[in-house]
Amino acid sequence: MKQLKYRIVSAICCCACFFIATLSEGFLVNADASADTHTSPDISAAGLPVQSLASDSLSVKDETQEDSSAPHQSEHRTETLAFTPTPRSTAVPTAVPSPTATPAPTATPVPTATPAPTATPTPTATPTPEPLVFTKAIANVTDFVNIREGASTDTPVLGKLYRDGIAEVLDTEGEWTHISSGNVTGYIFSDYLYLGERAISYADKITAYNVKVTANSLNVRSGPGTEYDKLGSVTNGNTFPAILSLSNKEWYAVQYDADTVAYLYADYVTLVCNQKTAMTLAEIAAAERAAKIEKAHVKSIPVTYRDPITITDEDLEIFALVVATEALWEPYEGKLAVANVILNRLLGGRYGDTVYDVVTAPGQFSGYKSIDKFRSYNLSDCYKACEEALSGKNNIGDFLYFHADYYVDSHDEWPLFTSWYKIDGHIFFKRNW
């Protein structure tokens, strides 16, 4: 029974060896066919010993045996050696490479765009404001400087520019400056003028200019630009002293209050000059005449009282009628002044010893000829003025003359007065003729 078991195992091993050999031969044939189209040579022709191949097969079988007892080993080997394998090619089989799986293409990741760095903007330099254009000259003299027709002292004088007067600079010619001021265009020796930066500095010193607001409402800024703080607002017509040395073409600096310098936009203001301009010789003559007349002007006359004066009733009636012809339509103050002029003449004695003598003196009170026309008028104020003057009340001092203002103008008597005082339509005066 035990031997039978060995026989069965041996048979199974032989079958396995045969199967393996056949499978190997087919594999090798197929491999050779794949590698070369020639027929494999017969194994016997190659001179290979059969035993070597059998031994190879036996070794494979022995590695898989379960029981390797010696008594049955030779029998099993005999059967194995009797097996004649099919001749095979001696060529070393070329292994057919297993097809390498083509790897699925790895998706190339879409690169995330690196954001371009934001360029730091180069700061734009704040433009420097254009400087204030100041083309004025200011007279640097104690009294006045002559304006000549040409750039020489040999040329005629056309006018004068007085101390601190303003002129527009037109050009320069050597040591002379060509200017225009008022109604005069001519030349001034440059040493007698403040020019350029000196003119700006001196203009601030004497407050030569004011800045006047022309807009309905205008913001006041703490600096020369809209980025500066708003200090307040001003309205049309407001005026402030200009500070030209701190101003530029777009913004005027002003003295906003005693302690504050502020700025106003130039488009909405105007520059107003506080200084006088030059005068022609004719204008100077007229100004001198006006100054003389104004100097003679008496601004007020105090009321004084003197001793009463007694006259006859006939003189009182003539007195009142003459006052009426001269001042019926004047205020009571004017009537009282006319009455006192008549009494001043009476007391002086030059024109007569009675009121009648004074009012009828040649070339004096022409109104006397018309007194009859006034008898029908209400003369109550005229009588009152005469009586008050006779009582001693005097509101015209020692003045002896008067004319209607239109008569003074038409006869140009003003330069003849040494002093004058105006009451409504009458000019009371003293004269030098």
Side-chain angles (χ1 to χ4, degrees):
M1 188 66 181
K2 188 174 182 178
Q3 291 181 355
L4 180 60
K5 181 178 179 180
Y6 286 137
R7 289 181 179 273
I8 293 172
V9 171
S10 298
I12 292 171
C13 290
C14 289
C15 289
C17 290
F18 178 78
F19 177 76
I20 291 170
T22 303
L23 183 61
S24 299
E25 183 179 2
F27 175 79
L28 292 173
V29 170
N30 289 335
D32 290 341
S34 299
D36 195 347
T37 56
H38 293 287
T39 304
S40 301
D42 187 83
I43 190 170
S44 59
L48 295 176
V50 176
Q51 182 64 37
S52 298
L53 182 61
S55 298
D56 292 338
S57 299
L58 181 61
S59 298
V60 173
K61 181 263 178 186
D62 287 342
E63 289 175 1
T64 60
Q65 278 184 340
E66 294 180 5
D67 190 353
S68 54
S69 301
H72 302 284
Q73 185 172 0
S74 60
E75 182 179 358
H76 175 68
R77 185 179 300 274
T78 301
E79 291 179 1
T80 301
L81 291 174
F83 168 71
T84 302
T86 303
R88 58 182 176 179
S89 173
T90 59
V92 178
T94 302
V96 178
S98 299
T100 303
T102 302
T106 303
T108 303
V110 178
T112 302
T114 303
T118 303
T120 303
T122 302
T124 303
T126 303
T128 302
E130 292 186 47
L132 179 69
V133 177
F134 190 72
T135 59
K136 308 294 183 180
I138 303 176
N140 179 18
V141 291
T142 302
D143 190 4
F144 66 86
V145 58
N146 288 327
I147 303 172
R148 295 190 175 271
E149 189 177 282
S152 169
T153 55
D154 295 332
T155 59
V157 174
L158 302 178
K160 298 178 181 180
L161 183 64
Y162 290 84
R163 178 179 179 176
D164 296 344
I166 295 286
E168 180 75 22
V169 176
L170 303 178
D171 200 357
T172 58
E173 187 173 327
E175 296 180 321
W176 294 78
T177 300
H178 192 199
I179 63 93
S180 177
S181 181
N183 295 316
V184 189
T185 298
Y187 291 83
I188 296 177
F189 194 63
S190 298
D191 285 355
Y192 298 124
L193 295 172
Y194 291 107
L195 297 167
E197 293 297 326
R198 291 182 68 208
I200 291 176
S201 177
Y202 191 71
D204 287 348
K205 180 180 179 180
I206 63 174
T207 314
Y209 288 91
N210 284 340
V211 173
K212 183 177 181 180
V213 178
T214 57
N216 291 334
S217 180
L218 182 62
N219 290 333
V220 180
R221 298 284 179 180
S222 62
T226 54
E227 69 272 20
Y228 289 91
D229 292 339
K230 177 182 173 182
L231 301 180
S233 62
V234 290
T235 56
N236 189 292
N238 285 159
T239 302
F240 304 92
I243 306 176
L244 300 181
S245 58
L246 298 179
S247 302
N248 59 53
K249 192 173 181 179
E250 294 184 353
W251 294 85
Y252 280 115
V254 299
Q255 194 68 47
Y256 187 47
D257 56 37
D259 303 316
T260 307
V261 173
Y263 290 80
L264 301 175
Y265 193 56
D267 284 358
Y268 301 110
V269 299
T270 185
L271 204 58
V272 180
C273 183
N274 299 322
Q275 304 307 115
K276 294 180 179 179
T277 55
M279 300 176 69
T280 65
L281 296 182
E283 289 171 335
I284 292 170
E288 289 174 348
R289 177 178 181 272
K292 180 180 179 181
I293 293 170
E294 184 57 31
K295 184 178 180 181
H297 184 195
V298 176
K299 303 300 188 294
S300 65
I301 297 177
V303 174
T304 60
Y305 293 86
R306 58 191 167 195
D307 294 336
I309 300 173
T310 301
I311 61 173
T312 65
D313 290 342
E314 291 79 2
D315 273 358
L316 180 58
E317 182 183 15
I318 293 173
F319 193 11
L321 285 170
V322 171
V323 169
T325 61
E326 300 290 350
L328 181 63
W329 291 280
E330 292 292 308
Y332 180 78
E333 181 187 8
K335 294 180 176 70
L336 180 61
V338 170
N340 274 290
V341 165
I342 295 172
L343 292 182
N344 285 344
R345 291 190 177 194
L346 176 64
L347 294 172
R350 178 181 175 186
Y351 294 94
D353 296 329
T354 66
V355 170
Y356 176 81
D357 292 339
V358 171
V359 298
T360 58
Q364 299 307 306
F365 293 92
S366 58
Y368 175 77
K369 299 176 181 179
S370 305
I371 59 174
D372 289 340
K373 296 179 181 179
F374 288 85
R375 293 183 185 277
S376 60
Y377 287 95
N378 181 358
L379 304 180
S380 58
D381 278 352
C382 295
Y383 272 100
K384 179 182 177 182
C386 291
E387 290 171 349
E388 196 165 26
L390 289 169
S391 71
K393 185 176 181 179
N394 181 10
N395 69 336
I396 201 60
D398 59 352
F399 281 67
L400 296 175
Y401 309 97
F402 68 90
H403 280 160
D405 53 5
Y406 66 85
Y407 182 89
V408 173
D409 286 337
S410 63
H411 289 74
D412 194 22
E413 292 185 335
W414 296 103
L416 304 176
F417 300 157
T418 56
S419 60
W420 58 275
Y421 182 71
K422 188 175 190 311
I423 299 177
D424 202 34
H426 277 157
I427 305 298
F428 298 85
F429 59 90
K430 296 176 183 179
R431 65 187 186 184
N432 56 8
W433 77 94

